[in-house]
Amino acid sequence: MTDLAGNVTHVIAGSVHSDFTNPSASSLSVSPTIARTGTEGSVEFDASETLATTPTANIAGSAFTLTSSSGLHFRFGRSMDGSETEGLQLVNLSIEDAAGNSASITT
């Protein structure tokens, strides 16, 4: 753009996408509901949006391994080794989106 005095100004147009919403998980499944040493456990879920980092899943502090992902669908697996405390154990997921919003989901 040039003004009446002949000065040239460069105009740069752009936009900013705001994201203040934490990601979420849907279609969450944990199996089996009863496990013993040697049982293969799995956790599957669909993320609400593209994740910036690899999600994590654990049970009683022991990590599951990401076994597959496709688009927004993630699957984790873990062989129960007997180090888990007996009784009801909660599974925890940690996810983070591209804007740095994070969520910790316990089921």
Side-chain angles (χ1 to χ4, degrees):
M1 177 185 318
T2 304
D3 65 15
L4 294 175
N7 299 310
V8 176
T9 302
H10 298 281
V11 177
I12 299 174
S15 62
V16 174
H17 177 82
S18 302
D19 180 357
F20 304 111
T21 305
N22 291 339
S24 61
S26 63
S27 303
L28 178 61
S29 71
V30 177
S31 66
T33 56
I34 298 176
R36 61 185 175 103
T37 301
T39 300
E40 290 296 321
S42 69
V43 176
E44 292 188 58
F45 72 94
D46 294 321
S48 60
E49 59 185 295
T50 301
L51 302 179
T53 59
T54 302
T56 60
N58 68 63
I59 184 169
S62 297
F64 282 81
T65 300
L66 181 64
T67 57
S68 66
S69 64
S70 177
L72 300 176
H73 185 79
F74 296 88
R75 185 176 201 286
F76 293 84
R78 181 177 190 283
S79 180
M80 302 302 152
D81 60 15
S83 66
E84 304 80 17
T85 304
E86 190 168 325
L88 179 64
Q89 299 297 316
L90 299 177
V91 173
N92 182 272
L93 298 174
S94 295
I95 56 179
E96 182 177 323
D97 69 14
N101 301 311
S102 62
S104 180
I105 301 154
T106 302
T107 184

